[in-house]
Amino acid sequence: MSALIRGSILGSPVEHSLSPLLHREAFDFLGIQGEYLRNEVTLGAFPSFFEENRDSFNYFSITMPLKEEALSLPVVLDPLVHRIQSANTLYQREGQWHLTSTDGSGFISALRHEGHQSFDRVLVLGAGGTARAVVGALDGVAGEINVLGRTSTRRDVLEGAVRTSTFEYIRWNDYPNFSEYDLVVNTTPAGAADLLADSVQSGSCNLLFDVIYKPWPTVLASRWSDSGGKVINGLELLLYQGIQQLSLALDRELDELALATHIRPILRKAVR
C-alpha cells in the first residue's frame, strides 16, 4: 500500500536531523500512514531537486542552507516569506505548491505553551534566517526588538520584517547587558554565543530561548540557568514548527499540545 502522506527534510547536512523521528512519531500518534525521509540537498541544487521530486511528495521541511534559496522556486509564496526572506516549509494544496515558514509561529507557540504571551524588550542574537523568522514573529508581541548581529548587510532585511514594534540593529559585541531584556533569543550556530556567557550576571537574567538543542546545554544556556534565569531548549522550536508543517500538509488543525507532549520525551532521549 502506498503512503498516505510523504515528506522529507531537505538541506545539508541532514544526516543527524531529528525531523524524521518527529514526523514519524506524529504519524503514529495520529494513526495515519506516512513516510518521511532525509534528502541531502546542497546550495544550488534545490531547484533541480524540487523539479524532479515535486510529484512524489506532499511536503518538504527546509533547513540550512536552503531557507533563502527556496524563495526562487516556482511556487506560491506566503506574504510572510516575502517579509522575512526566509522559508522552512513547502507543501501541496490542491495540486499547487506553497512556500511558507513555521519557524516564527512555532517559536511563538513554544513561548505560549510556557506561559509567555508578550514582552517589553527582546534581544535576538544572530541575524540569519531563523533570526528573521523570530523577529517577524515577535513584531507586535514585543514592544522593542533589538538584534545583535555581526554584519550590517542584514540590517535592512531584519528591519523589513518589523512593522509594529520598535527595532534596533546592534553590531556584535561580547558584553551585552542582558538585564535590560525580558527575553533573549539565541539563533546563532552552536558555539557562536559561548563568549557571551561571561556577560550573564547572577540574579539579573530573565528568559533565554536558545534555538540550539544539540549539544545541550550550550555554554550560554548553562550559565543562564546557573544564574537563576529560565531557559527554553531549542527542541521546543523544533517540535512546534514541525507539528505546524504537518498541519499544513494534512490541511487540518492538530492538537499541538497533545502532539508535543507525546513526542517531546522521544526527542529528548534521542539527543542524550
Side-chain angles (χ1 to χ4, degrees):
M1 183 182 295
S2 61
L4 173 64
I5 187 166
R6 197 162 187 254
S8 179
I9 178 73
L10 310 180
S12 182
V14 293
E15 66 268 20
H16 299 301
S17 172
L18 290 179
S19 289
L21 177 60
L22 188 162
H23 287 261
R24 291 166 188 167
E25 288 295 332
F27 294 160
D28 288 344
F29 183 81
L30 295 170
I32 62 175
Q33 186 183 8
E35 181 181 40
Y36 191 96
L37 309 175
R38 287 186 181 89
N39 278 281
E40 189 86 9
V41 181
T42 57
L43 198 62
F46 198 2
S48 59
F49 175 89
F50 179 68
E51 184 61 31
E52 293 168 6
N53 293 276
R54 58 184 298 163
D55 296 330
S56 303
F57 289 85
N58 302 98
Y59 71 115
F60 295 110
S61 306
I62 305 164
T63 189
M64 298 303 292
L66 307 178
K67 290 189 174 187
E68 295 177 19
E69 187 176 20
L71 276 69
S72 67
L73 297 175
V75 298
V76 178
L77 272 62
D78 188 306
L80 170 67
V81 169
H82 281 293
R83 183 157 62 94
I84 67 174
Q85 291 293 294
S86 177
N88 79 334
T89 308
L90 273 166
Y91 66 98
Q92 277 206 69
R93 186 68 51 78
E94 298 178 352
Q96 176 68 60
W97 279 93
H98 297 258
L99 182 69
T100 190
S101 176
T102 63
D103 279 333
S105 55
F107 169 75
I108 294 297
S109 287
L111 285 170
R112 186 177 68 249
H113 288 301
E114 290 287 335
H116 304 283
Q117 305 288 340
S118 62
F119 303 91
D120 292 326
R121 301 188 76 211
V122 177
L123 177 65
V124 178
L125 309 177
T130 302
R132 294 198 295 274
V134 165
V135 167
L138 285 169
D139 186 30
V141 174
E144 180 180 341
I145 303 169
N146 292 350
V147 173
L148 193 67
R150 295 186 182 278
T151 171
S152 59
T153 59
R154 296 182 176 182
R155 175 175 183 162
D156 290 345
V157 175
L158 282 155
E159 192 166 14
V162 179
R163 295 176 177 173
T164 303
S165 303
T166 301
F167 177 85
E168 183 179 0
Y169 188 90
I170 305 169
R171 288 302 298 269
W172 189 274
N173 67 84
D174 292 338
Y175 299 98
N177 188 352
F178 290 131
S179 65
E180 295 180 348
Y181 303 94
D182 45 351
L183 170 64
V184 175
V185 187
N186 179 30
T187 70
T188 65
D194 286 359
L195 290 177
L196 301 184
D198 290 337
S199 298
V200 179
Q201 301 297 317
S202 181
S204 64
C205 47
N206 294 304
L207 175 64
L208 171 68
F209 196 127
D210 198 326
V211 304
I212 295 169
Y213 56 82
K214 189 175 183 178
W216 188 263
T218 63
V219 172
L220 179 61
S222 182
R223 181 70 61 83
W224 198 278
S225 181
D226 290 345
S227 299
K230 181 178 180 181
V231 177
I232 299 178
N233 186 305
L235 276 179
E236 296 302 302
L237 174 57
L238 178 71
L239 264 172
Y240 288 104
Q241 62 84 29
I243 291 168
Q244 291 174 12
Q245 288 177 338
L246 183 56
S247 177
L248 289 169
L250 294 172
D251 193 16
R252 72 187 234 207
E253 291 292 323
L254 299 177
D255 187 333
E256 290 186 355
L257 186 57
L259 272 166
T261 300
H262 170 73
I263 299 171
R264 183 180 292 109
I266 297 168
L267 294 183
R268 285 179 175 171
K269 184 177 180 180
V271 296
R272 284 177 185 165

